[in-house]
Amino acid sequence: MNFSLLLDNLTSPALLFFLLGIIAVQLKSDLEIPAQSSKFISLYLLFSIGFKGGQELSHSDFSFQILWCIVFGVAIAIAIPVYTFFILKKKLGVENAGAIAASYGSVSAVTFVTAVSFLEFQKVVFSGHMVAIMAMMEAPAIIVGVMLISWFNKENTIKLPQIIKHSFTNGSVLLILGSLIIGLVANQSQAEGIKPFTTDLFKGFLVIFLLDMGITSGKKLSDFIKNGWFTTIFALVIPLINGCLVAFLSQYITAEIGDRFIFAVLAASASYIAVPAAMKIAVPKANPGLYLPMALAVTFPFNITIGLPVYFAIITLIK
């Protein structure tokens, strides 16, 4: 991976606005995003991610191979939150464990874009339906995270069927799933009609959202520092395990090197957009001062510097 690509990602507005939010808190600035505006931006990001994922899926020629890849992607998004939740629960509590588990079960669109650039540099192609699979891996991880929090919350007296219903009807989950379905059934001309809102405004809203998350994280940065050794090791080791394992297992799903690499990167990445947006609404008790710095400040730079070459090497060795 060339140095310019690494520099582009480390100097991206998304990352820098997140850091600006943390710096503003440390300087005791009065900078803040109004609560209602923050909630609106969270809902917008979930809507946009879901709708664009549905559109990508609608453009794919459906086949058994694509279905098999979708099942594999969703299985990854379910399995990772389940096993990571139990690693985290005792140390960080139920709410934080569920939010972090959902983050690592979900995916990072920015890491995905970096992976695509990496493949272009290596002159390796990947299938278009992998974009839709990326979007489809957001919701299952959020649902599993919310379900685990509800199930293991000591204050909770709700039974399993009600927990499942609550998880699917939770506003953030319902919005991303509903948007995915609407994007799937909408035709090209209908999607073009709202493209300025679903696509053109996305990056602008994203940086404001990450500025807000930086401010929130900065106020609770002491929690991350207090658990620094544990959260930092988790944020480095778990993505590496997930990426390497999926790089190996993906050979049984598809023979395409590009698709296998994308699967590995998706498994290794951690969401710092959809999951924080969802958890801010669904589980306000979860501390973004833990799961956001882990995903954005540790896992993201680790993946784009070390992870991507490692996963690609494993895949090319096991053809």
Side-chain angles (χ1 to χ4, degrees):
M1 187 171 185
N2 59 11
F3 178 75
S4 62
L5 184 57
L6 171 60
L7 187 64
D8 283 345
N9 282 284
L10 292 179
T11 58
S12 70
L15 180 60
L16 295 178
F17 270 94
F18 175 73
L19 295 175
L20 176 62
I22 294 175
I23 291 168
V25 174
Q26 301 308 309
L27 295 176
K28 295 182 167 49
S29 168
D30 61 354
L31 176 64
E32 66 176 353
I33 308 297
Q36 288 303 312
S37 299
S38 176
K39 184 173 182 178
F40 166 76
I41 293 170
S42 299
L43 291 171
Y44 165 77
L45 293 174
L46 293 170
F47 146 73
S48 181
I49 290 167
F51 186 83
K52 287 187 288 187
Q55 276 287 292
E56 289 295 337
L57 190 59
S58 70
H59 296 155
S60 299
D61 294 326
F62 206 73
S63 66
F64 179 78
Q65 178 62 32
I66 292 177
L67 179 62
W68 190 224
C69 286
I70 290 172
V71 170
F72 184 61
V74 171
I76 293 169
I78 292 172
I80 291 174
V82 171
Y83 94 84
T84 53
F85 176 80
F86 292 102
I87 295 173
L88 297 159
K89 181 167 70 77
K90 187 174 181 181
K91 180 73 176 176
L92 301 178
V94 171
E95 285 85 4
N96 288 326
I100 295 169
S103 294
Y104 282 83
S106 189
V107 297
S108 162
V110 180
T111 310
F112 175 85
V113 172
T114 307
V116 171
S117 301
F118 182 94
L119 287 177
E120 288 175 354
F121 183 71
Q122 300 292 334
K123 295 181 172 55
V124 176
V125 297
F126 71 98
S127 304
H129 61 260
M130 295 304 297
V131 180
I133 291 172
M134 176 201 68
M136 294 180 72
M137 288 174 70
E138 299 272 17
I142 295 170
I143 292 167
V144 172
V146 172
M147 285 180 64
L148 288 168
I149 291 168
S150 300
W151 182 254
F152 286 94
N153 191 334
K154 291 180 181 178
E155 299 174 4
N156 179 46
T157 57
I158 305 173
K159 294 182 179 179
L160 183 59
Q162 294 171 296
I163 290 173
I164 295 172
K165 181 184 176 184
H166 170 73
S167 300
F168 277 92
T169 57
N170 178 275
S172 55
V173 173
L174 186 64
L175 180 59
I176 195 169
L177 283 175
S179 299
L180 183 76
I181 294 168
I182 292 168
L184 179 62
V185 300
N187 62 41
Q188 185 66 36
S189 62
Q190 292 167 333
E192 284 291 327
I194 59 171
K195 186 178 179 181
F197 188 64
T198 57
T199 303
D200 298 345
L201 295 176
F202 183 84
K203 289 183 179 179
F205 274 119
L206 173 59
V207 295
I208 299 299
F209 173 75
L210 287 171
L211 172 64
D212 183 38
M213 289 291 97
I215 293 169
T216 305
S217 299
K219 291 176 181 176
K220 300 183 178 181
L221 200 57
S222 58
D223 293 331
F224 180 74
I225 295 169
K226 183 174 69 177
N227 295 286
W229 69 269
F230 178 76
T231 49
T232 302
I233 290 172
F234 179 96
L236 292 172
V237 173
I238 293 299
L240 187 61
I241 291 172
N242 293 340
C244 292
L245 184 61
V246 171
F248 174 78
L249 292 176
S250 60
Q251 65 181 305
Y252 302 110
I253 306 301
T254 176
E256 297 295 329
I257 290 176
D259 292 1
R260 290 179 58 196
F261 177 72
I262 295 293
F263 270 128
V265 171
L266 292 177
S269 69
S271 171
Y272 54 84
I273 302 174
V275 171
M279 291 300 159
K280 188 178 179 70
I281 300 165
V283 193
K285 287 185 179 180
N287 183 358
L290 287 175
Y291 59 81
L292 254 172
M294 289 172 70
L296 187 55
V298 182
T299 299
F300 172 66
F302 170 79
N303 270 326
I304 66 172
T305 54
I306 298 170
L308 268 61
V310 169
Y311 313 141
F312 189 76
I314 292 171
I315 289 165
T316 51
L317 284 172
I318 318 171
K319 291 184 183 179

